[in-house]
C-alpha cells in the first residue's frame, strides 16, 4: 500500500486551513480511515485528532465553513463536533488515558499522536492520516493496522487486558467487527476477552444492545453469537440464549442442540430479510424450549407450549435489553407465538378455515411468518426438507387464494359494538363481545361471508339466543 492516501471529502480543505491557522498537527483517524482503506469512504462520521485543543480546532473549522454553524462541545471530555456536508465531524485533542478501576470515566491527559493511537481499541482503528498542508494524506500506522486489515485480524494495539479492562465495551466491539467484517480475533485478544468478561457488567445496557443489534444486522450473525458463547459473554448478557445450548440423551434418543439450531435459523432468515425484528424473532422463536423440555418414552423429546411461553417472555427480554416496547415487541411476540402454525398446517389436510385463522392472527405479518417458518427447517435430511418446503409452497398458494377471496389479512369486523348496543338497546356488557366473537368465528370458519348483510343476520340470531330483544333496525 502506498504511504499516501487520496482524501477527497469536502471537509478536508477546511480542516487543513484551520489547522494551519492554529498551528496544530491534525490527523484523521478511526472508522473513516479503516473503511477508506478497506473499500472507499462509506461512514457518515469522520474523527479528527489534533495535538492541541480539539475544541478550538472544531470552532475554527466551523467558522471557516459557515460562521453560523453550531459546534457542540463536551468540555469534560475535551471533544467537539458539528454536522456539515451530511457528515458528523468529530474532534478530540490527542490524549493519554488511564481509567479508574470501577468506572469507565477516564482520567484524561494531553498526549502525543502515538499515545492517542495506543489508547484506541484495535489496530485497524488506530491508523492515522495526516491532514496538514506539508504532509497531507500521509499514513501513520505504528501498530501495523494495514497489515491486519489485509490479513483480516482484530488485535489490540497494546496489551489486550489493558485495552479491555479500560473500556469493556470493546470486547463486544471486537466481536462485532469480527462479525461484520468477517475477520478473526487474534488469540491473545480473544483470551483477554474471556478473562475480562465479567467487566461487561459495568457497561450500560443501551450500549450493549447497540452492539448486539449491529451483530444481528450483519450478513452472518452466527459468527458473532458463536464468539459471544465461546468467550463466556453470552452467559452474562443473554442467559436465556445461553440456556439453549446443549443436548441430552435418554434411551438412545437425543434432541438437537437448540443454540446451534437457532443460529442456523437466524442465518437463514438473514439470507431472506434485512428486517431487524424478523431477525430477533428468529433468535427468540425457541427461547422457551429449555423449560418446556420433557422426555416421553413413547414420543421422545417434546417441547410442548414453548411457543406460548416464549412469546410471554418477549416483553421481559425486550425490557431488560432496552429494546422498543411498542410495535416491534408486539411483532416479535406474534411471530414467536405463531411460528409453529404453518408447519402444523402442512401436517394435516389444509382446510380453508385453518388458513383463514392463520391469516387473521398473522395479519400483515404473514409473509414474514412464512420466511421464519422456512428458515426454521434446518434438518439434515434432504428428503424431509424438500417435503416441508413443498408443503409450504402449497400453504402459501392457499394463503394467496383465500386472501383474494375473503380479505382476512386486515380483518375489520363488519358489525361494530355500537351497532350491537343500538340494535338491542343495551349498554357495554358481556353479550357484545360474545356476539362479535360469534360473527368473527363464523367468518373464519367459512359459515358466513365476510360481509355486512350476512353478519347482521347472524347478530340478530345470536342476540335472540342470548335472550336479547331487538329494539332498532331491520329484522
Ligand atoms: N474507539 C475506541 N474505543 C471505543 C470506541 C471507539 O478506541 N470503545 C476509537 C476507535 O479508534 C474508533 C474511534 O474511536 O475507530 C471512533 O469510534 P466510533 O465512531 O464509535 O467507531 P468507528 O470505529 O468509527 O466505527 P463504528 O461507527 O462502526 O462504531
Amino acid at each position: 500500500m502506498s504511504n499516501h492516501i487520496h482524501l477527497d471529502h469536502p471537509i478536508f480543505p477546511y480542516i487543513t486551513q484551520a489547522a494551519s491557522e492554529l498551528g496544530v498537527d491534525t490527523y484523521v483517524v478511526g472508522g473513516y480511515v479503516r473503511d477508506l482503506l478497506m473499500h472507499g469512504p462509506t461512514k457518515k462520521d469522520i474523527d479528527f485528532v489534533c495535538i492541541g485543543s480539539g475544541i478550538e480546532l472544531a470552532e475554527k473549522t466551523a467558522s471557516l465553513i459557515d460562521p453560523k454553524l453550531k459546534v457542540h462541545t463536551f468540555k469534560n471530555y475535551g471533544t467537539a463536533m458539528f454536522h456539515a456536508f451530511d457528515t458528523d465531524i468529530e474532534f478530540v485533542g490527542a490524549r493519554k488515558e488511564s481509567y479508574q478501576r470501577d468506572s469507565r470515566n477516564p482520567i484524561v491527559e494531553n498526549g502525543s499522536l502515538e499515545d492517542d493511537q495506543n489508547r484506541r481499541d484495535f489496530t485497524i482503528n488506530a491508523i492515522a492520516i495526516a491532514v496538514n498542508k506539508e504532509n497531507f494524506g500521509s499514513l501513520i500506522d505504528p501498530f501495523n493496522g494495514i497489515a491486519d486489515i489485509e490479513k483480516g485480524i482484530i488485535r489490540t494495539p497494546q496489551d489486550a487486558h489493558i485495552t479491555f479492562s479500560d473500556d469493556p465495551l470493546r470486547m463486544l466491539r471486537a466481536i462485532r467487527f469480527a462479525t461484520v467484517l468477517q475477520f478473526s480475533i487474534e488469540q491473545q485478544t480473544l483470551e483477554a476477552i474471556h478473562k475480562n468478561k465479567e467487566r461487561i457488567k459495568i457497561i450500560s445496557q443501551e450500549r450493549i444492545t447497540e452492539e448486539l443489534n449491529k451483530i444481528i444486522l450483519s450478513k452472518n450473525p452466527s459468527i458473532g453469537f458463536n464468539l459471544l458463547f465461546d468467550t463466556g459473554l453470552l452467559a452474562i448478557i443473554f442467559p436465556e440464549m445461553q440456556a439453549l445450548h446443549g443436548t441430552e440423551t435418554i434411551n438412545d434418543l437425543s434432541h438437537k442442540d437448540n443454540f446451534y439450531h437457532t443460529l442456523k435459523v437466524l442465518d437463514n432468515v438473514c439470507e431472506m430479510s434485512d428486517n431487524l425484528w424478523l431477525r430477533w424473532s428468529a433468535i427468540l422463536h425457541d427461547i422457551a424450549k429449555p423449560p418446556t423440555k420433557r422426555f416421553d418414552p413413547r414420543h421422545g423429546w417434546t417441547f410442548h407450549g414453548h411457543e406460548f411461553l416464549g412469546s410471554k417472555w418477549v416483553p421481559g427480554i425486550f425490557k431488560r435489553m432496552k429494546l422498543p416496547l411498542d410495535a416491534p415487541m408486539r411483532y416479535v411476540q406474534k411471530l414467536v407465538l405463531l411460528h409453529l402454525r404453518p408447519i402444523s398446517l402442512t401436517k394435516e389436510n389444509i382446510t380453508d378455515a385453518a388458513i383463514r385463522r392463520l391469516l387473521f392472527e398473522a395479519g400483515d405479518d404473514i409473509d414474514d411468518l412464512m420466511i421464519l417458518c422456512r428458515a426454521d427447517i434446518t434438518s439434515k435430511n434432504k428428503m424431509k426438507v424438500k417435503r416441508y418446503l413443498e408443503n409450504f409452497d402449497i400453504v402459501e398458494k392457499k394463503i394467496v387464494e383465500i386472501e383474494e377471496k375473503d380479505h382476512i389479512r386486515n380483518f375489520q369486523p363488519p358489525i361494530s359494538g355500537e351497532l350491537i348496543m343500538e340494535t338491542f338497546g343495551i349498554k357495554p356488557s358481556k353479550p357484545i363481545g360474545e356476539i362479535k366473537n360469534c360473527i368473527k368465528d363464523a367468518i373464519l370458519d367459512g359459515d358466513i361471508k365476510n360481509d355486512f348483510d350476512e353478519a347482521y343476520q347472524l347478530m340478530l340470531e345470536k342476540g335472540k339466543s342470548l335472550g336479547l330483544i331487538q329494539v332498532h333496525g331491520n329484522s
Side-chain angles (χ1 to χ4, degrees):
M1 165 129 7
S2 131
N3 278 337
H4 252 78
I5 301 296
H6 178 64
L7 298 170
D8 65 359
H9 191 282
I11 190 67
F12 289 115
Y14 293 100
I15 295 277
T16 305
Q17 190 185 339
S20 141
E21 285 184 24
L22 293 173
V24 291
D25 290 341
T26 303
Y27 307 86
V28 55
V29 287
Y32 183 81
V33 176
R34 178 193 69 229
D35 288 359
L36 184 68
L37 297 174
M38 284 186 71
H39 40 237
T42 49
K43 278 183 66 75
K44 282 282 164 230
D45 58 293
I46 309 184
D47 296 291
F48 290 98
V49 57
C50 68
I51 316 303
S53 162
I55 296 179
E56 275 174 31
L57 179 63
E59 279 166 351
K60 181 68 161 181
T61 312
S63 73
L64 294 175
I65 297 170
D66 174 357
K68 289 198 287 298
L69 191 61
K70 171 124 187 66
V71 179
H72 305 272
T73 57
F74 307 91
K75 293 228 163 62
N76 291 347
Y77 293 94
T79 61
M81 63 95 51
F82 59 75
H83 189 82
F85 309 111
D86 199 22
T87 312
D88 286 334
I89 313 287
E90 306 196 12
F91 297 83
V92 63
R95 58 201 183 179
K96 249 190 186 142
E97 265 173 18
S98 49
Y99 285 71
Q100 293 148 338
R101 296 304 318 163
D102 52 354
S103 103
R104 289 191 62 244
N105 294 336
I107 308 157
V108 182
E109 269 176 63
N110 292 340
S112 63
L113 174 67
E114 173 128 5
D115 290 333
D116 194 274
Q117 285 172 295
N118 195 41
R119 77 170 176 88
R120 288 180 182 271
D121 52 3
F122 308 113
T123 58
I124 61 167
N125 289 340
I127 309 165
I129 305 175
V131 293
N132 291 82
K133 244 189 218 108
E134 57 287 359
N135 54 7
F136 191 84
S138 61
L139 270 169
I140 302 118
D141 180 22
F143 305 107
N144 296 318
I146 294 177
D148 285 347
I149 289 181
E150 281 162 2
K151 286 185 274 183
I153 289 177
I154 306 291
R155 185 166 59 90
T156 57
Q158 57 178 334
D159 179 348
H161 288 287
I162 299 173
T163 304
F164 292 139
S165 157
D166 279 354
D167 178 357
L169 181 73
R170 291 167 167 174
M171 299 188 282
L172 286 183
R173 282 174 59 91
I175 292 176
R176 187 252 293 183
F177 284 121
T179 312
V180 171
L181 305 175
Q182 307 219 337
F183 279 19
S184 52
I185 302 179
E186 176 260 352
Q187 196 53 32
Q188 282 176 6
T189 304
L190 197 59
E191 281 165 18
I193 298 180
H194 195 272
K195 281 226 169 72
N196 287 281
K197 62 179 191 240
E198 293 292 332
R199 280 183 62 76
I200 199 67
K201 291 180 179 159
I202 67 168
I203 300 296
S204 75
Q205 184 62 49
E206 285 83 351
R207 303 185 75 203
I208 292 176
T209 298
E210 200 179 314
E211 293 299 328
L212 258 188
N213 279 344
K214 286 185 180 174
I215 291 172
I216 295 167
L217 284 170
S218 71
K219 195 162 168 275
N220 290 109
S222 62
I223 300 173
F225 281 104
N226 275 314
L227 285 166
L228 289 171
F229 178 81
D230 294 342
T231 54
L233 280 167
L234 191 71
I236 301 172
I237 64 171
F238 200 168
E240 298 90 340
M241 193 170 180
Q242 172 85 17
L244 291 172
H245 187 268
T247 61
E248 210 180 316
T249 309
I250 297 182
N251 298 350
D252 277 345
L253 281 175
S254 314
H255 64 80
K256 65 181 168 221
D257 184 309
N258 287 305
F259 176 67
Y260 296 111
H261 164 71
T262 294
L263 294 189
K264 183 80 190 103
V265 178
L266 175 59
D267 280 354
N268 287 348
V269 162
C270 294
E271 277 180 26
M272 297 183 266
S273 167
D274 292 334
N275 177 344
L276 177 64
W277 307 115
L278 181 51
R279 292 175 176 208
W280 266 104
S281 308
I283 293 170
L284 295 175
H285 80 288
D286 278 349
I287 200 72
K289 272 196 168 174
T292 53
K293 180 166 98 171
R294 302 279 179 275
F295 185 79
D296 171 344
R298 270 184 308 161
H299 298 108
W301 293 102
T302 65
F303 303 89
H304 286 311
H306 73 272
E307 71 282 24
F308 293 106
L309 189 61
S311 80
K312 268 204 193 151
W313 281 7
V314 170
I317 293 172
F318 264 55
K319 196 155 178 236
R320 196 183 73 230
M321 295 274 186
K322 298 267 193 300
L323 289 164
L325 299 178
D326 47 5
M329 185 189 84
R330 291 194 296 274
Y331 165 94
V332 173
Q333 261 191 302
K334 188 203 275 187
L335 263 65
V336 172
L337 179 67
L338 296 179
H339 81 271
L340 294 176
R341 287 281 289 280
I343 196 128
S344 70
L345 275 182
T346 63
K347 283 188 182 147
E348 49 206 68
N349 272 341
I350 312 169
T351 64
D352 286 8
I355 298 268
R356 271 193 293 267
R357 284 208 173 265
L358 181 62
L359 263 168
F360 172 71
E361 282 171 56
D364 273 340
D365 301 318
I366 186 77
D367 300 333
D368 289 356
L369 179 66
M370 293 308 292
I371 291 180
L372 177 60
C373 292
R374 285 180 182 273
D376 200 9
I377 313 287
T378 61
S379 164
K380 290 205 173 67
N381 179 338
K382 287 217 170 84
M383 286 308 292
K384 221 167 155 183
V385 171
K386 191 166 171 275
R387 202 173 63 239
Y388 278 136
L389 293 179
E390 279 169 4
N391 274 333
F392 279 144
D393 289 339
I394 300 173
V395 172
E396 274 179 343
K397 214 169 131 240
K398 282 223 127 197
I399 286 176
V400 172
E401 275 168 27
I402 290 189
E403 181 53 22
E404 267 176 18
K405 193 157 58 91
D406 300 338
H407 309 292
I408 301 289
R409 208 171 155 139
N410 284 310
F411 182 84
Q412 297 295 336
I415 300 289
S416 68
E418 284 77 40
L419 184 64
I420 300 172
M421 290 192 274
E422 194 184 306
T423 308
F424 297 108
I426 54 173
K427 297 221 152 58
S429 52
K430 212 167 143 220
I432 298 160
E434 287 179 41
I435 294 173
K436 284 179 91 173
N437 267 336
C438 166
I439 294 170
K440 182 195 83 192
D441 286 341
I443 292 171
L444 295 180
D445 290 340
D447 296 338
I448 65 170
K449 279 221 224 50
N450 185 10
D451 85 10
F452 181 83
D453 290 343
E454 293 197 21
Y456 189 85
Q457 275 314 314
L458 184 60
M459 168 188 74
L460 295 182
E461 283 163 31
K462 179 72 183 168
K464 205 167 155 199
S465 78
L466 290 170
L468 301 176
I469 296 163
Q470 187 185 355
V471 295
H472 194 272
N474 311 329
S475 53

